[in-house]
Amino acid sequence: MTEIDTEAPVCVTGASGYIAGWIVRYLLEAGHTVHATVRNPAKPSAVAHLERIAAETPGTLHLFAADLNTPGSFDAAVAGCQLVMHTASPFVLSGYRDAESALVRPAVEGTRNVLAAVDRTSSVRRVVLTSSVAAVFGDNIDIRDTPAGVFTEAQWNASSSVRHNPYQYSKAAAERVAWDICARQDRWDLVAINPAMVFGPSLTASSQSGSIDTLVQLGDGRLRDGVPRLSMGVVDVRDVAQAHLLAGFRPDAEGRYILCAGTRTMLQMATNLRSRFGDRYRFPRRELPKSLVWLVGPLKGPVTRRFVTRNVGIPLRFDSGRSKALGIRYREPEKTIAEHFEQAVRDGLLSRDRRAAA
Ligand code: NAP
């Protein structure tokens, strides 16, 4: 049981991010002092929304510059905190050259750097790590190795590597490192949050989160010819943020928490969006045969044949019982996805030019 003094500042790493924005907002609304790390506090697109929220809420915001790749750079932000929420980690699914330097190193060495700062800071009692279901499984087919055909917190992703699903690998490796470091001491405890694919309104239009592009591509014409039968777990960004606060402040929070409101295929998501937004956007209308995706997928994008074989057409199930016991009441995925799409439209991410070019 870990009691956190609510008067002590709370450190949030990667505060400019999609998920972290909501965490910072809820902390400031509740009157906390937040030590928010960003790579560049002078970049308005990274911090303007946080400063605006701070001006409208009872809490206090302090910004700190820190980079996952720079040892020691989190020390100033962690100083005086009892609770550290480590969200910073690259979430990119394509567009990088070298997965090791773009994804794995910042995730793993960044976690080491943040936890080294925690180890050096005697005030810290708890770390909440933003992990992922990617640390639970790598490919949908991994569900066949589970005892009851459902992913629980007991599973670990053992199928990903730097070459195959490097993002998933980065999350599993970073979470393992965090548990190893935590086990070497007994002053602070670790709680891991393992969300499925996160959707829902963003407080910033500048996030590069893979969530946002996954949603936008359903409506911008890139998938107009059809989608693979790919299932994913879905959870609302506001529920993920609330889970961080519950995991941070509930004395009895412990271990890992899968967060998933339900699973949906890409076509189910697109059909939901068409029923609400009509034909203004070029939502896909059909699923492509797996054999076709296997054949042409690698030619059209970063999808590999190994990924297609091990994921397309294979349903997913998650046990989110532990997160419900923690206090999470999940929003309905259809509403989450629709609200997110509406906002992406408002932010100009589905502008007429982009649709015409698609
Ligand atoms: P995001 O908006 O891209 O946020 C990632 C944050 O990491 C950004 O604020 C970015 O800061 C920071 N970052 C990246 N590289 C960094 C570096 N070298 N040094 C310092 N900061 C760095 O993505 P998100 O979706 O909110 O993801 C946040 C966390 O949730 C990640 O750990 C991700 O793996 C996890 N997660 C996300 C999902 C999802 O579906 N979105 C699901 C499960 C888990 P800058 O502003 O400096 O770029």
Side-chain angles (χ1 to χ4, degrees):
M1 296 289 251
T2 302
E3 299 282 349
I4 300 295
D5 176 2
T6 53
E7 298 299 314
V10 179
C11 176
V12 180
T13 72
S16 52
Y18 169 51
I19 295 173
W22 281 99
I23 296 174
V24 172
R25 174 169 163 170
Y26 290 150
L27 287 168
L28 292 173
E29 283 175 352
H32 295 283
T33 297
V34 179
H35 289 189
T37 81
V38 291
R39 268 184 284 191
N40 182 3
K43 192 169 136 193
S45 63
V47 297
H49 61 293
L50 302 176
E51 288 172 328
R52 198 180 55 247
I53 294 164
E56 294 164 357
T57 52
T60 306
L61 178 72
H62 297 291
L63 295 170
F64 294 82
D67 192 310
L68 293 170
N69 296 313
T70 309
S73 69
F74 289 89
D75 289 18
V78 171
C81 296
Q82 294 200 357
L83 178 57
V84 174
M85 300 198 185
H86 176 35
T87 86
S89 199
F91 178 28
V92 284
L93 298 171
S94 60
Y96 50 81
R97 276 174 184 231
D98 173 21
E100 177 69 40
S101 60
L103 287 167
V104 181
R105 203 172 306 140
V108 175
E109 294 311 314
T111 297
R112 283 192 211 281
N113 286 335
V114 170
L115 296 183
V118 165
D119 273 338
R120 286 191 286 268
T121 309
S122 61
S123 55
V124 178
R125 296 284 170 271
R126 175 168 286 175
V127 174
V128 177
L129 174 72
T130 315
S131 186
S132 169
V133 290
V136 172
F137 78 104
D139 292 304
N140 291 21
I141 202 168
D142 296 346
I143 201 158
R144 297 186 185 163
D145 300 329
T146 60
V150 55
F151 288 118
T152 72
E153 287 84 358
Q155 270 87 44
W156 276 91
N157 174 359
S159 64
S160 299
S161 67
V162 182
R163 290 171 62 82
H164 176 65
N165 290 338
Y167 168 71
Q168 287 87 332
Y169 177 69
S170 77
K171 295 305 288 181
E175 195 191 324
R176 277 192 191 281
V177 156
W179 285 113
D180 286 350
I181 295 172
C182 177
R184 290 185 213 140
Q185 54 76 55
D186 57 11
R187 172 172 40 84
W188 52 271
D189 63 13
L190 178 67
V191 183
I193 299 294
N194 300 78
M197 195 69 171
V198 182
F199 294 109
S202 174
L203 296 171
T204 163
S206 70
S207 161
Q208 302 296 310
S209 171
S211 284
I212 295 167
D213 196 52
T214 302
L215 196 269
V216 165
Q217 69 174 350
L218 283 175
D220 71 3
R222 272 178 284 171
L223 300 175
R224 64 187 178 279
D225 295 334
V227 279
R229 179 173 293 185
L230 192 59
S231 294
M232 64 184 91
V234 174
V235 60
D236 192 289
V237 66
R238 292 158 291 191
D239 296 339
V240 175
Q242 287 293 359
H244 281 73
L245 270 73
L246 288 165
F249 292 109
R250 267 188 67 153
D252 59 344
E254 50 88 32
R256 310 173 90 193
Y257 292 93
I258 286 178
L259 299 183
C260 180
T263 57
R264 298 291 184 273
T265 63
M266 293 181 81
L267 187 62
Q268 284 171 330
M269 289 166 56
T271 305
N272 163 43
L273 290 173
R274 175 176 295 101
S275 74
R276 293 166 192 256
F277 298 92
D279 288 326
R280 273 176 293 158
Y281 301 93
R282 286 188 275 171
F283 301 115
R285 288 177 175 274
R286 64 186 184 115
E287 282 176 345
L288 301 170
K290 185 168 179 174
S291 53
L292 183 65
V293 181
W294 187 88
L295 204 63
V296 301
L299 308 176
K300 294 191 83 175
V303 176
T304 64
R305 294 202 167 122
R306 182 171 160 83
F307 179 86
V308 174
T309 303
R310 294 176 56 83
N311 290 276
V312 174
I314 301 168
L316 285 176
R317 278 178 68 210
F318 295 97
D319 180 348
S320 45
R322 269 178 56 75
S323 63
K324 289 179 184 161
L326 185 69
I328 295 300
R329 300 288 166 264
Y330 286 108
R331 287 172 171 82
E332 189 210 355
E334 278 61 38
K335 206 157 175 279
T336 294
I337 290 164
E339 285 181 29
H340 193 168
F341 192 80
E342 215 166 70
Q343 193 226 338
V345 170
R346 272 202 310 276
D347 286 347
L349 302 180
L350 286 117
S351 68
R352 204 169 284 280
D353 289 351
R354 286 170 66 106
R355 276 183 285 148

